[in-house]
């Protein structure tokens, strides 16, 4: 059975009509005879949405009890047993109630898809994991329920449910989204026009990126090379010269004129090395491109204009930005230049912009290396000059009335031989020397029209001509080959220098290294494969590019790394001379993979060591701190049960009070131990709601002596988004700790204030204080500072308090109290648009 198809309705905000659109699609499919059921849909008491459920088969939900409340979730087993063709599952980012089959609803959907059931679901743009920080900065609300972007990107169909902010606010005002008692607060906070406009733009851009991925995939599958101008993509051609920064900034300004435009900076190096590139300048330009939101690419190409155009068409670019040539006037004898060639061959689908800069006509600074790979055109011209040229020269000389003489004829034929060597290399030059010698002998050396030579001087002249021609050709060819070798070694040294630098910098991004391999060798895909033994199948440790191979035998190029690891490349067959550099890349990829695994193992070892330390401290605490109150309780009970002593009422009351105090201390210690265990295992799940501080803080002061705390909470303080139970525990631990170390001359001050979108609760004591180097250590488990008595606790109060504060999205820090002492600062998140409710307790009280 194949995998099911996932269709997602994506909205910018609640209320745009995602669920309504999903149910409408379900009705259309039912009318066509499709077996479609409602696995889980929430209509949120919206009458129009509720009406759309009529006529659809609703599967029963699963009931779960959590903290005394019964919740309903999608019954995955019931859906699998029913096995419909299509299942409707609302709210893809929903977090299931603890005790459910999966932690997240998108994991439930994955099970249905694997079972071959098509799923239609909904999600809002603010629930995408990668956009959490952006949405929080826009709306001031952090989304607790999120779904990984990759889950949504893998959907077979994504449909944007769009609505203008004004229309959505009208729906809100008509009561189609929220109840009337929540309408005003929603319109003035989350559903402000600016918020909705920004969220709408996020949704449109995200869907546009997804559409662009579909477009690239389609173009690749159908081998479409022409540019489709569906979106502005600006390619910046870099040479490594100082003008690159000007080009990048110019392209950025061009991109800013159109929303959604992209910048792709590309540096094209010849396979024989590009001598005019400055590695330092390229690094600066790469940083500049990335800072401006673009991407940097490094590719290999012998024909720079052709490679640039191929890259631009490959990424579906619409514009190319190049700089005016830095050549001096005389340097144009080498050709028209990259800019003119690209502009001539770009065609009607690519716009080429030539940008002037301060380096125009100042020269390249370093000459370009000439390689031995001369190209087909130069080789053809070399053969024409070397073979056809002497024949034409002989015809011309024979037609002249006044012959220049044999010595001048030899020099003219020698000139053609040298020209053939410069154009085509050694072989055309040797052919030119042979043809020239025969023509000189046959046409210009007496007796003519024969291959015999009567005059010994003429014979010497012909022999010297042939020897000089061969020598010159050899020297020119040797120089060209040496130049090619030097340029190639320079290119290899630059690559190896990059690899060595990455080792020294400790870079551990395997994907980045594999992407560098793909760009360096102009491959389609690169994969690092490994296996545990010779008989085990290959597994992919990392890959880049479309459709990476799964076995080295399927690759165009494979580079073994040891016995059970290989770097596999697809796209073209590399020459043997490139395998040395590829071997260095493969070795570095193995090192990076080992480093990543060592880092993971080190982190695991660190967690194990931390767990061992905590367990050791816990055993010490149990052996002493918990036994101390138990011993006191046992002694008091034994005294009361003794028949040898007649206890007075006062003595019995004192012993009973000791038993009660010991039991309270035991309860407090065990509670802190359990809280610490919950924090260590990550099972603390706060239930966030909006509440006033003065509803929680006074309740947390019940365990301190009367008159030991001075409470000050202003009436204008906004509400906070917290878990009231956790906040009460945090405040109680902090205040009890402050009272314990306060000398007693002044009460501990507990004051609250608002700062931006945060609310601070400061607990101030006048004790001995804590040095700066110990301020973080006091928040570690099983730590007691100074001369605290052993029976005072196991040192978990502040550790638990910080853990609970961070679980609620807040912070807990220690500061010095001016004049001596310690101030604990608890920072909490203010509720979005939180309105102060009427306080049931006085704003200022003394406990």
């Amino acid at each position: 059975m194949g995998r099911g198809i996932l269709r997602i309705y994506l909205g910018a905000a609640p209320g745009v009509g995602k669920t309504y659109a999903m149910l409408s699609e379900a009705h259309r499919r039912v009318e066509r005879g499709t077996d479609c059921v409602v696995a889980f849909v929430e209509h949120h008491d919206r009458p129009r949405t509720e009406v759309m459920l009529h006529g659809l088969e609703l599967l029963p939900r699963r009931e779960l009890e959590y903290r005394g409340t019964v919740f309903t979730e999608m019954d995955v087993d019931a859906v699998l047993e029913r096995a419909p063709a299509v299942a409707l599952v609302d709210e893809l980012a929903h977090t299931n109630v603890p005790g459910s089959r999966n932690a997240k609803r998108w994991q439930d959907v994955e099970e249905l898809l694997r079972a071959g059931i098509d799923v239609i679901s909904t999600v809002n743009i603010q629930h995408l994991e990668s956009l959490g920080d952006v949405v929080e900065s826009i709306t001031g609300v952090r989304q607790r329920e999120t779904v990984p972007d990759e889950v949504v990107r893998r959907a077979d169909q994504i449909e944007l449910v769009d609505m203008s902010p004004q229309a959505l606010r009208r729906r809100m005002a008509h009561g189609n989204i929220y109840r009337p008692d929540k309408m005003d607060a929603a319109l003035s906070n989350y559903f402000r026009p600016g918020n909705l406009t920004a969220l709408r733009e996020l949704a449109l851009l995200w869907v546009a990126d997804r559409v662009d991925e579909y477009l690239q995939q389609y173009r690749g599958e159908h081998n479409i090379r022409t540019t489709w101008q569906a979106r502005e993509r600006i390619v910046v051609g870099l040479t490594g010269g100082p003008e690159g920064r000007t080009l990048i900034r110019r392209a950025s300004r061009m991109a800013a004129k159109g929303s959604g435009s992209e910048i792709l900076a590309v540096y094209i190096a010849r396979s024989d090395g590009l001598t005019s590139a400055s590695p330092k300048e390229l690094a600066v330009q790469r940083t500049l491109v990335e800072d401006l939101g673009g991407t940097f690419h490094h590719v290999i190409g012998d024909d720079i204009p052709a490679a640039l155009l191929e890259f631009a068409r490959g990424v579906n670019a619409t514009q190319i930005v190049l700089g005016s040539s830095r050549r001096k006037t005389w340097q144009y004898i080498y050709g028209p230049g990259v800019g003119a060639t690209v502009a001539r061959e770009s065609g009607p689908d690519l716009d080429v912009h030539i940008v002037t800069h301060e380096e125009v006509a100042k020269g390249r600074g370093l000459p370009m290396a000439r390689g031995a790979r001369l190209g087909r055109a130069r080789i053809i011209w070399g053969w024409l000059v070397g073979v056809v040229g002497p024949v034409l020269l002989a015809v011309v000389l024979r037609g002249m009335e006044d012959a220049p003489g044999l010595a001048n004829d030899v020099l003219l034929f020698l000139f053609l031989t040298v020209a053939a060597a410069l154009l085509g290399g050694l072989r055309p030059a040797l052919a030119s020397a042979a043809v020239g010698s025969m023509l000189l002998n046959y046409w210009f050396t007496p007796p003519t029209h024969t291959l015999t030579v009567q005059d010994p001087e003429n014979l010497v002249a012909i022999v010297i001509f042939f020897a000089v021609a061969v020598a010159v050709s050899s020297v020119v060819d040797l120089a060209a080959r040496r130049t090619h070798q030097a340029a190639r070694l320079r290119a290899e040294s630059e690559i190896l220098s990059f690899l060595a630098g990455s080792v020294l910098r400790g870079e551990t991004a395997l994907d980045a290294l594999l992407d560098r391999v793909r760009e360096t060798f102009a491959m389609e895909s690169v994969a690092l494969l490994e296996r545990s033994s010779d008989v085990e199948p290959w597994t992919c440790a990392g890959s880049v590019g479309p459709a990476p191979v799964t076995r080295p035998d399927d690759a165009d190029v494979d580079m073994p790394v040891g016995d059970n690891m290989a770097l596999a490349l697809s796209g073209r067959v590399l020459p043997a001379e490139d395998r040395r550099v590829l071997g260095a890349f493969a070795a570095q990829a193995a090192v990076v993979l080992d480093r990543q695994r060592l880092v993971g193992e080190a982190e695991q070892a660190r967690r194990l060591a931390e767990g061992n330390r905590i367990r050791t401290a816990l055993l010490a605490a149990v052996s002493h701190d918990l036994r101390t109150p138990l011993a006191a309780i046992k002694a008091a009970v034994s005294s009361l049960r003794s028949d040898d002593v007649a206890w007075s009422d006062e003595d019995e009351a004192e012993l009973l009070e000791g038993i009660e105090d010991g039991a309270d201390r035991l309860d407090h210690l065990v509670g802190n131990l359990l809280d610490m265990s919950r924090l260590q295992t990550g099972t603390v799940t706060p239930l966030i709601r909006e509440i006033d501080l003065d509803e929680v803080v006074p309740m947390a002061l019940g365990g301190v002596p009367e008159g030991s705390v001075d409470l000050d909470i202003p009436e204008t303080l906004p509400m906070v988004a917290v878990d009231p139970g956790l906040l009460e525990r945090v405040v109680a631990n902090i205040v009890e700790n402050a009272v314990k170390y306060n000398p007693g001359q002044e009460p501990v001050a507990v004051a609250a204030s608002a700062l931006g979108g945060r609310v601070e609760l400061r607990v101030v004591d006048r004790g001995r204080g804590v040095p700066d180097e110990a301020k973080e250590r006091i928040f570690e488990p099983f730590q007691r500072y100074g001369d605290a008595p052993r029976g005072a606790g196991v040192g978990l109060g502040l550790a638990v308090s910080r853990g609970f504060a961070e679980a609620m999205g807040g912070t807990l820090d220690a500061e010095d109290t001016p004049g001596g002492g310690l101030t604990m600062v608890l920072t909490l998140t203010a509720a979005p648009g939180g309105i102060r409710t009427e306080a049931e307790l006085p704003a200022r009280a003394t406990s």
Side-chain angles (χ1 to χ4, degrees):
M1 180 179 295
R3 180 180 172 87
I5 296 175
L6 175 60
R7 179 186 180 99
I8 292 180
Y9 286 93
L10 178 68
V16 296
K18 304 180 303 301
T19 305
Y20 190 92
M22 178 179 66
L23 294 174
S24 299
E25 175 66 18
H27 280 285
R28 286 193 292 271
R29 298 198 181 198
V30 170
E31 291 173 359
R32 295 196 298 264
T34 304
D35 183 15
C36 185
V37 301
V38 177
F40 190 96
V41 169
E42 285 286 0
H43 56 75
H44 298 290
D45 296 328
R46 297 169 186 169
R48 296 187 178 182
T49 305
E50 187 175 3
V51 168
M52 293 297 293
L53 288 171
H54 297 166
L56 298 176
E57 179 182 352
L58 276 67
L59 296 183
R61 301 184 182 184
R62 182 184 180 190
E63 293 186 352
L64 295 170
E65 184 176 353
Y66 179 67
R67 293 187 176 180
T69 304
V70 177
F71 298 89
T72 60
E73 296 287 359
M74 180 176 68
D75 193 337
V76 179
D77 293 326
V79 181
L80 294 175
E81 182 179 357
R82 171 63 174 78
V86 180
L88 307 185
V89 182
D90 205 4
E91 298 178 359
L92 186 64
H94 172 72
T95 301
N96 293 329
V97 174
S100 301
R101 180 170 182 153
N102 296 302
K104 304 287 289 187
R105 183 164 292 164
W106 64 263
Q107 295 171 328
D108 296 337
V109 169
E110 283 294 319
E111 285 198 41
L112 301 183
L113 294 174
R114 287 195 297 268
I117 301 174
D118 295 347
V119 176
I120 305 178
S121 188
T122 64
V123 69
N124 282 329
I125 193 68
Q126 67 264 25
H127 293 299
L128 295 182
E129 183 69 41
S130 65
L131 300 178
D133 295 335
V134 179
V135 172
E136 183 179 13
S137 65
I138 294 172
T139 64
V141 178
R142 182 70 181 185
Q143 298 296 328
R144 300 291 177 182
E145 294 187 329
T146 59
V147 58
D149 290 48
E150 185 60 27
V151 173
V152 183
R153 286 187 180 275
R154 286 200 307 264
D156 301 276
Q157 302 171 20
I158 299 177
E159 182 172 337
L160 178 65
V161 182
D162 189 27
M163 180 176 290
S164 67
Q166 294 77 12
L168 183 56
R169 285 173 59 85
R170 282 197 300 271
R171 288 196 65 195
M172 175 76 70
H174 293 159
N176 295 331
I177 301 177
Y178 290 150
R179 296 194 306 270
D181 57 337
K182 294 185 177 181
M183 186 187 309
D184 293 338
L187 288 173
S188 59
N189 292 286
Y190 192 89
F191 285 83
R192 293 195 299 268
N195 290 359
L196 297 178
T197 302
L199 292 173
R200 188 188 189 197
E201 182 178 15
L202 279 178
L204 291 171
L205 291 177
W206 195 93
V207 173
D209 286 337
R210 179 62 175 141
V211 172
D212 188 64
E213 291 177 9
Y214 281 129
L215 179 61
Q216 293 293 346
Q217 181 180 354
Y218 179 85
R219 283 166 51 85
E221 292 174 351
H222 293 77
N223 197 26
I224 299 174
R225 305 299 299 168
T226 58
T227 299
W228 289 0
Q229 298 185 3
R231 182 176 183 178
E232 291 293 334
R233 281 190 177 84
I234 304 173
V235 171
V236 184
L238 302 178
T239 64
E243 78 281 359
R245 306 184 200 181
T246 302
L247 303 184
I248 294 170
R249 294 189 180 97
R250 173 66 174 171
S252 177
R253 292 195 298 271
M254 294 168 58
K257 295 179 181 179
S259 179
S261 299
E262 291 184 42
I263 303 175
L264 300 93
V266 57
Y267 166 65
I268 300 176
R270 295 182 178 180
S271 59
D272 59 359
L274 185 62
T275 59
S276 60
S278 167
K280 181 178 180 181
E281 181 64 26
L282 278 178
V284 173
Q285 293 174 14
R286 180 174 194 147
T287 302
L288 178 60
V289 169
E290 293 173 350
D291 289 343
L292 294 175
T295 56
F296 184 91
H297 303 267
H298 183 287
V299 300
I300 301 294
D302 289 324
D303 188 341
I304 293 179
L308 180 60
L309 288 171
E310 182 180 359
F311 175 83
R313 292 191 175 102
V315 298
N316 201 30
T318 57
Q319 302 181 56
I320 297 178
V321 176
L322 299 173
S324 297
S325 178
R326 288 185 284 127
R327 294 180 176 186
K328 293 183 180 295
T329 304
W330 63 269
Q331 291 177 316
Y332 281 94
I333 63 175
Y334 295 117
V338 174
T341 305
V342 170
R344 184 181 67 247
E345 300 179 0
S346 61
D349 54 350
L350 274 172
D351 297 334
V352 180
H353 303 268
I354 306 296
V355 179
T356 59
H357 49 84
E358 296 180 353
E359 304 297 323
V360 173
K362 291 185 177 180
R364 289 186 175 275
L366 289 174
M368 295 182 63
R370 293 174 57 86
R373 297 180 180 178
L374 301 176
R376 179 177 300 179
R378 287 190 58 177
I379 292 175
I380 292 174
W381 276 105
W383 281 102
L384 289 175
V385 172
V387 177
V388 180
V391 175
L392 295 177
L393 178 61
V395 173
V396 172
L397 292 176
R398 288 291 295 175
M400 297 175 62
E401 295 181 356
D402 297 326
L406 182 60
N408 291 327
D409 293 340
V410 170
L411 292 177
L412 290 174
F413 279 96
L414 182 61
F415 171 79
L416 291 178
T417 301
V418 173
L422 292 174
L423 288 173
L426 180 61
R427 293 180 180 180
L430 293 177
S432 178
V435 173
S437 300
M438 295 181 63
L439 292 174
L440 283 171
N441 186 5
Y442 188 81
W443 290 104
F444 304 102
T445 305
T448 59
H449 305 293
T450 65
L451 295 178
T452 60
V453 180
Q454 292 180 346
D455 190 348
E457 293 182 0
N458 293 337
L459 180 60
V460 171
I462 293 175
V463 172
I464 292 176
F465 161 76
F466 185 83
V468 170
V470 172
V472 171
S473 303
S474 300
V475 170
V476 171
D477 182 74
L478 180 62
R481 285 190 286 111
R482 290 290 184 267
T483 301
H484 166 68
Q485 292 173 0
R488 180 171 183 82
L489 289 174
R490 175 169 182 168
E492 291 183 4
S493 66
E494 290 179 0
I495 294 175
L496 295 176
S497 175
F498 162 78
L499 290 176
S502 65
V503 173
L504 294 176
R505 291 189 298 269
E507 296 177 356
T508 58
L510 180 60
D511 290 344
L513 180 63
L514 296 181
D515 194 65
R516 180 64 183 264
V517 175
R518 184 174 66 88
E519 291 186 349
T520 299
F521 297 100
M523 289 293 182
E524 293 180 359
S525 64
V526 179
L528 183 62
L529 307 176
E530 63 174 353
R531 59 183 178 180
S532 56
S533 65
D534 294 337
V535 297
E536 294 294 328
W538 291 93
T539 59
C540 182
S543 65
V544 295
V549 299
T550 57
R551 296 188 310 160
D553 297 340
D554 299 333
D556 295 321
V557 181
D558 70 285
M559 175 59 65
V561 188
D563 296 331
N564 298 313
M565 186 176 291
L567 191 64
L569 294 79
S570 298
R572 64 188 180 94
V573 178
L574 289 179
E577 56 191 359
D578 286 338
R579 295 184 66 86
R580 178 172 56 182
V581 177
L582 182 60
F585 272 112
Q588 177 64 8
V591 170
V592 169
L593 180 61
D594 289 340
R595 185 185 294 122
Q596 286 182 345
R597 290 174 175 172
L598 288 174
V599 170
E601 292 173 0
E603 177 62 21
Q604 184 178 5
R606 187 196 63 79
R607 290 196 298 266
L608 290 175
E610 178 68 14
N612 289 334
R613 187 187 69 81
I614 292 178
R615 281 191 290 270
T616 301
L618 178 60
L619 289 175
V622 171
S623 64
H624 184 279
D625 296 282
L626 294 180
R627 292 177 63 183
T628 300
L630 282 175
I633 293 174
K634 184 176 181 180
V637 172
S638 299
S639 299
L640 288 174
R641 290 171 57 88
S642 175
D643 298 331
D644 299 336
V645 180
W647 301 102
S648 63
D649 293 341
E650 292 79 5
D651 293 335
E652 288 185 357
E654 184 178 353
L655 290 172
L656 291 174
E657 184 179 359
I659 294 174
E660 186 177 8
D661 290 341
D664 290 339
R665 286 171 56 192
L666 272 179
D667 179 68
H668 181 73
L669 292 176
V670 172
N672 277 337
L673 288 172
L674 293 176
D675 290 340
M676 197 65 225
S677 174
R678 292 169 60 199
L679 290 172
Q680 291 291 330
T681 56
T683 57
V684 176
T685 305
L687 299 178
I688 304 298
R689 66 183 183 90
E690 300 177 5
I691 195 170
D692 291 320
L693 271 183
D694 57 9
E695 294 183 25
V696 178
V697 176
M699 298 173 60
L701 306 182
V704 298
E706 185 176 355
S708 60
V709 175
D710 186 11
L711 181 63
D712 182 11
I713 299 180
E715 294 183 357
T716 57
L717 201 66
M719 301 172 72
V720 291
V722 296
D723 183 317
L726 296 184
L727 178 60
E728 182 179 347
R729 293 293 304 277
V730 172
V731 176
N733 282 344
I734 297 173
V735 173
E736 289 177 7
N737 189 75
V739 171
K740 184 190 309 179
Y741 290 99
N742 200 49
Q745 291 85 353
E746 299 182 28
V748 171
V750 179
S753 61
L755 181 63
R758 314 289 285 179
V759 173
E760 285 187 354
L761 184 71
R762 308 177 76 88
V763 179
V764 183
D765 67 57
R766 296 293 179 178
R768 296 173 49 243
V770 176
D772 291 338
E773 62 272 11
K775 281 188 172 63
E776 284 300 314
R777 195 165 63 247
I778 62 176
F779 292 104
E780 297 179 3
F782 304 103
Q783 297 292 323
R784 281 189 297 266
Y785 177 73
D787 55 353
R790 290 290 300 176
V794 293
L796 286 176
L798 293 181
V800 169
S801 298
R802 171 171 278 190
F804 283 173
E806 293 175 350
M808 294 185 293
T811 60
L812 178 61
D813 300 292
E815 298 178 357
D816 291 327
T817 301
L822 188 68
T823 298
M824 288 291 179
V825 182
L826 175 62
T827 305
L828 304 170
T829 303
I835 303 174
R836 174 74 178 183
T837 58
E838 189 67 23
E840 300 177 359
L841 298 173
R844 186 176 184 89
T846 300
S847 173

